[in-house]
Amino acid sequence: MLKQWQIIAATMLVLLGCLPEVKHAVGQQSAATPAAQSAELAEAERLNQQVVELYNAGRYDEAVPMAERALTIREKALGTEHTLVATSLDNLAVLYDAKGDYTRAEPLYQRALTIWEKALGVEHPNLGASLNNLAGLYEAKGDYARAVQSKQRSQEGREHNLTLILITGSENQKQLYLNTLSGETDSTISLHVRSAPASQQAAQLALTTILRRKGRALDAMTDQIAALRRRANPEDVQLLDQLTATRAQLANLKLKAPDATSAAQRQAQAAQLEAEAERLEGVMSQRNAEFRVQAQPVTVERVKAAIPEGTALVEIVSYKPFNAKAKTPNETWGAARYVAYVLRREGAPAFVDLGEAAKINSAVRTFREALTDPESENAKEAGRTLDKLTMRPVRRLLGATKHIFLSPDGALNLAPFAALVDEGNRYLVETLTITYLTSGRDLLRFSERIASRGAPVVIANPQFDASTPNANNAAAQNENPLQQPRRRSVNFGTLNFTPLPGTDGEATSLRTLLTGAQVMTRGEATEAKLKAVRSPRLLHVATHGFFLPDQPQAAPNTTGFGGTQQQATVAGENPLLRSGLAFAGANNRQSAEGEDGILTALEASALDLWGTRLVVLSACETGVGEVKNGAGVYGLRRALVLAGSETQVMSLWQVSDEATRDLMIAYYKRLQAGEGRTEALRNVQLEMIRSKDRSHPNFWASFIQSGEWRSLDAPATSNK
């Protein structure tokens, strides 16, 4: 099977090298024929390369005759229905489109579409490329209804193919494919926000795209099918293997270049494989609740049904405006902006364009600088500035709604919205109840309640230096915390972890509060012990958290026809390897059972937390990760969602050891009293605001709660 996957992946890479983001020709097919080696076809290929260069230079008039000549050669050598002819048709159409000659461009796009659909089927990526080209033309003409129709048709095929590709490809290949869709996502949002703001169809399409794709890259990197296989019983493992093999065959059939197989044969084979995959998915959904949660389709209507009465989902996303009338490649994309969509259980989506991302991101940085210093006096001023840019416009759409599910994007993932300040000089936590989500589609996960299999687990105060006696950690408790306040953070340059004595008191208190809790501290607080847990009811980890900024590497520019391939850099490594938690032995990189004492976010995503009601990371910066627009936070926050936990509580900056201990004890007491997971944290924060010594948001605003918001014993919701 591995070899088959490798073949499929190689085929995808051929296609990925030429797939457009919005407006560029589909590219060359990989299938070689004797005719493709002729001098004439070689000339057509040479002409095509010149067309690309001239297009990227904005020299459209010079490129048109070359594109016409290449089309004529291919039609003569291959016939009018060959896929290489469709490539030339798209090339020529893009040139006329760029010149504003839509009358000539449209029929060329339509001819290319007909060829792609007949030869490759309705869901092939090349067909989606042509549909997006055509959508751009309609947008430029002001025919927004047809632009939406073309994009909608393309994206249904894209969503189907994503399911196949994210299962069969390697991590790098998955990311490459998703990168090809980034411009398409931006242009879909832009079509609604900038061109057709009054169109409900455009709004529905934009929000559907956001709900399906936000954070999708991280989901793909974690190989959830493999994790599910490790936890499944033998019968379910066999079904999963059958399903994976069927999907791999389907991907190979649908995404490969044309071969000797006729279109009718391909369609018949695809229909048979589709039916078998659907049957296996149905059986797995009946047998396995975890699979059922992961496999459910994402639509706006399903998400609406999962939003409780009287609340609203606020989905914030960063996008680059698309200029359908651009006369040069450099005019195609505008500066990044933020837009917020508000969705309720009833009614149509509402939205507000929040403005340029650079200005908002700068306000986030200023806000965080004020919050991370407990002596700063401008925290409220900075919070008011950021509120004006973000939540004040959103509140106009919320009306009387006081509980929101907030899914931020980009740098806004690092802002505690509870500490923003409204026009009445009140923190938002005083007037709003905020539950965070990594994506609005996470509301669908709460329709299923999976039983916990273990008692609460508490891991605290690890002995980071394996060669140091346990007494050293205890001795550190004698230091005056007021003179040397400890922060749950790490020196990123040396990755040297110092003891956190306050976590010992935290563990002692939780041992009393949480009946039957398994408590592991000091030498027992190991990475291996955490990896061995099996869906505990609660998981509390009190240790150092860390985040290492990613090291980008230069990547070759892969500008395709139309100049819209946006691949200036690639990550130096998987961002899930650059954030995590420290455990016993971390300083020496030696821990029990062959572990190194460092749990990365990638490893965290593979923990067995399905059925775990709450994960609290009582550490520094565990809610931080590599910020990527459209993908949420690449760090522990999303990893713990994928591991199956219902709720995550974690921090956004360095946290006072003693203040954290007190906050956590108060939080658990409220949970034990039956308060909701969001409500309990909010009430603790309100108490701290009213206190004398911890009213500064540095002490109370660092921790955010994401995921399931209700009490620990609440039943599953229903989105049926």
Side-chain angles (χ1 to χ4, degrees):
M1 184 56 64
L2 179 60
K3 289 183 178 179
Q4 184 182 17
W5 287 4
Q6 290 172 332
I7 292 170
I8 294 168
T11 302
M12 285 192 294
L13 283 177
V14 171
L15 294 170
L16 290 174
C18 58
L19 281 178
E21 291 199 351
V22 174
K23 188 185 289 185
H24 92 66
V26 177
Q28 303 301 317
Q29 296 301 300
S30 59
T33 66
Q37 300 172 7
S38 70
E40 284 190 341
L41 287 177
E43 172 66 7
E45 174 60 21
R46 185 189 66 79
L47 288 168
N48 195 52
Q49 293 302 319
Q50 286 185 283
V51 167
V52 171
E53 293 172 5
L54 290 170
Y55 177 92
N56 290 334
R59 295 158 62 183
Y60 308 135
D61 289 334
E62 295 176 56
V64 166
M66 291 184 180
E68 289 175 336
R69 175 62 179 156
L71 172 61
T72 300
I73 292 172
R74 285 175 170 174
E75 286 181 321
K76 181 179 178 181
L78 303 171
T80 59
E81 302 299 316
H82 197 278
T83 53
L84 284 177
V85 172
T87 298
S88 286
L89 288 166
D90 256 339
N91 286 350
L92 187 55
V94 166
L95 289 169
Y96 282 130
D97 197 345
K99 286 163 58 70
D101 192 344
Y102 308 130
T103 301
R104 290 189 180 184
E106 184 174 353
L108 294 171
Y109 281 143
Q110 294 286 8
R111 273 190 63 195
L113 273 173
T114 301
I115 295 172
W116 294 128
E117 185 169 355
K118 182 178 179 180
L120 303 176
V122 297
E123 291 166 341
H124 196 276
N126 289 1
L127 182 74
S130 280
L131 284 166
N132 277 304
N133 285 347
L134 188 58
L137 179 143
Y138 288 140
E139 183 177 359
K141 290 174 61 176
D143 190 347
Y144 304 131
R146 294 176 75 181
V148 170
Q149 290 173 1
S150 294
K151 278 191 170 293
Q152 192 162 28
R153 185 181 170 196
S154 170
Q155 291 193 21
E156 287 306 314
R158 298 287 207 213
E159 181 64 16
H160 183 275
N161 292 334
L162 269 173
T163 302
L164 300 176
I165 291 170
L166 297 186
I167 290 173
T168 58
S170 70
E171 175 186 305
N172 186 53
Q173 289 148 4
K174 293 171 184 176
Q175 186 62 62
L176 280 172
Y177 185 82
L178 286 161
N179 285 348
T180 67
L181 302 184
S182 63
E184 179 183 297
T185 300
D186 286 348
S187 67
T188 301
I189 298 169
S190 182
L191 171 61
H192 169 232
V193 176
R194 311 282 282 189
S195 297
S199 169
Q200 282 301 315
Q201 291 78 14
Q204 188 89 356
L205 178 62
L207 187 52
T208 299
T209 303
I210 294 165
L211 291 171
R212 286 176 172 174
R213 294 183 183 175
K214 193 175 185 181
R216 195 74 173 268
L218 181 55
D219 295 13
M221 287 183 183
T222 55
D223 197 353
Q224 291 296 287
I225 290 294
L228 177 57
R229 183 182 283 107
R230 289 192 296 269
R231 296 189 287 268
N233 61 45
E235 293 81 7
D236 287 352
V237 168
Q238 185 176 9
L239 281 169
L240 279 171
D241 288 341
Q242 293 175 18
L243 176 58
T244 303
T246 301
R247 284 172 167 172
Q249 293 176 57
L250 193 57
N252 187 32
L253 180 66
K254 287 198 169 191
L255 302 176
K256 69 180 180 180
D259 56 18
T261 306
S262 70
Q265 287 176 309
R266 287 165 61 97
Q267 291 170 9
Q269 293 172 13
Q272 184 178 2
L273 290 169
E274 292 272 19
E276 177 62 8
E278 186 175 342
R279 183 189 70 82
L280 291 168
E281 288 169 0
V283 175
M284 274 299 300
S285 291
Q286 291 178 354
R287 293 175 56 92
N288 189 290
E290 183 180 336
F291 179 87
R292 190 160 57 246
V293 169
Q294 295 186 37
Q296 57 188 322
V298 178
T299 66
V300 170
E301 291 307 315
R302 288 179 61 85
V303 172
K304 284 176 64 174
I307 299 173
E309 294 283 357
T311 70
L313 168 66
V314 178
E315 188 79 54
I316 301 177
V317 65
S318 175
Y319 76 101
K320 289 184 177 180
F322 172 63
N323 180 8
K325 295 182 179 181
K327 297 304 180 185
T328 68
N330 290 336
E331 295 176 358
T332 303
W333 301 101
R337 302 177 69 85
Y338 283 107
V339 60
Y341 284 86
V342 174
L343 188 66
R344 292 183 172 82
R345 191 177 183 90
E346 303 293 338
F351 82 100
V352 59
D353 192 338
L354 300 178
E356 291 190 6
K359 184 175 182 179
I360 293 174
N361 293 345
S362 176
V364 170
R365 288 191 293 271
T366 301
F367 184 45
R368 282 178 55 81
E369 288 171 2
L371 292 178
T372 53
D373 178 7
E375 302 299 324
S376 69
E377 298 180 355
N378 66 328
K380 274 204 162 185
E381 179 184 350
R384 182 74 197 106
T385 298
L386 186 56
D387 178 80
K388 289 178 182 178
L389 295 172
T390 56
M391 286 304 294
R392 183 173 68 175
V394 171
R395 282 196 296 276
R396 295 171 184 152
L397 303 179
L398 292 175
T401 302
K402 296 303 181 185
H403 184 185
I404 64 171
F405 297 92
L406 178 62
S407 173
D409 196 13
L412 289 172
N413 277 295
L414 307 181
F417 281 71
L420 296 185
V421 178
D422 67 15
E423 50 273 11
N425 200 38
R426 298 166 299 182
Y427 293 115
L428 293 198
V429 70
E430 298 180 81
T431 58
L432 277 179
T433 298
I434 303 173
T435 300
Y436 290 86
L437 299 172
T438 54
S439 166
R441 70 176 177 276
D442 287 341
L443 286 168
L444 301 178
R445 301 169 70 91
F446 308 138
S447 63
E448 197 81 40
R449 173 54 58 91
I450 297 174
S452 304
R453 289 181 286 162
V457 171
V458 177
I459 301 177
N461 196 22
Q463 182 182 323
F464 300 116
D465 191 339
S467 64
T468 301
N470 287 349
N472 282 8
N473 273 10
Q477 297 181 49
N478 296 325
E479 298 180 15
N480 186 341
L482 297 178
Q483 294 177 350
Q484 298 290 334
R486 289 182 175 77
R487 303 280 181 182
R488 297 188 183 189
S489 61
V490 61
N491 182 325
F492 293 158
T494 62
L495 278 179
N496 186 56
F497 303 94
T498 56
L500 290 168
T503 67
D504 238 7
E506 208 171 301
T508 300
S509 299
L510 293 179
R511 188 193 299 270
T512 303
L513 281 173
L514 305 177
T515 304
Q518 180 184 6
V519 179
M520 293 169 277
T521 62
R522 305 184 186 184
E524 293 184 346
T526 66
E527 179 186 0
K529 290 285 181 67
L530 176 57
K531 288 182 175 180
V533 302
R534 295 292 178 265
S535 62
R537 176 175 169 80
L538 304 173
L539 174 62
H540 184 99
V541 180
T543 183
H544 282 296
F546 68 91
F547 164 62
L548 298 174
D550 191 31
Q551 303 298 316
Q553 297 176 345
N557 289 325
T558 56
T559 302
F561 194 76
T564 56
Q565 292 287 72
Q566 300 168 351
Q567 294 178 334
T569 60
V570 293
E573 62 180 329
N574 186 332
L576 287 172
L577 298 174
R578 304 190 67 80
S579 58
L581 300 169
F583 293 90
N587 284 344
N588 297 333
R589 307 298 187 269
Q590 292 180 344
S591 188
E593 300 183 33
E595 301 287 358
D596 62 4
I598 303 290
L599 182 86
T600 65
L602 185 62
E603 292 173 302
S605 72
L607 295 174
D608 184 0
L609 301 179
W610 288 90
T612 298
R613 302 289 178 256
L614 172 67
V615 175
V616 175
L617 298 184
S618 184
C620 166
E621 295 184 336
T622 50
V624 181
E626 180 187 356
V627 176
K628 283 195 172 182
N629 293 337
V633 170
Y634 275 43
L636 285 169
R637 196 187 309 182
R638 185 68 184 164
L640 290 170
V641 173
L642 298 175
S645 63
E646 290 183 358
T647 305
Q648 308 80 40
V649 172
M650 50 190 62
S651 62
L652 295 175
W653 60 77
Q654 299 179 13
V655 186
S656 163
D657 202 12
E658 292 73 30
T660 298
R661 177 191 59 204
D662 295 344
L663 182 149
M664 288 299 163
I665 292 172
Y667 180 55
Y668 278 106
K669 284 182 177 179
R670 288 186 172 277
L671 290 176
Q672 297 291 76
E675 290 187 12
R677 281 164 267 191
T678 296
E679 177 191 13
L681 182 59
R682 178 173 182 259
N683 285 336
V684 171
Q685 292 173 327
L686 291 173
E687 287 181 352
M688 295 178 75
I689 290 173
R690 293 189 289 266
S691 69
K692 292 182 179 180
D693 56 347
R694 288 177 179 167
S695 61
H696 193 284
N698 169 267
F699 296 105
W700 57 262
S702 171
F703 283 94
I704 62 172
Q705 179 267 325
S706 181
E708 171 66 78
W709 64 100
R710 299 170 305 154
S711 69
L712 294 173
D713 296 317
T717 61
S718 174
N719 58 357
K720 297 180 180 179

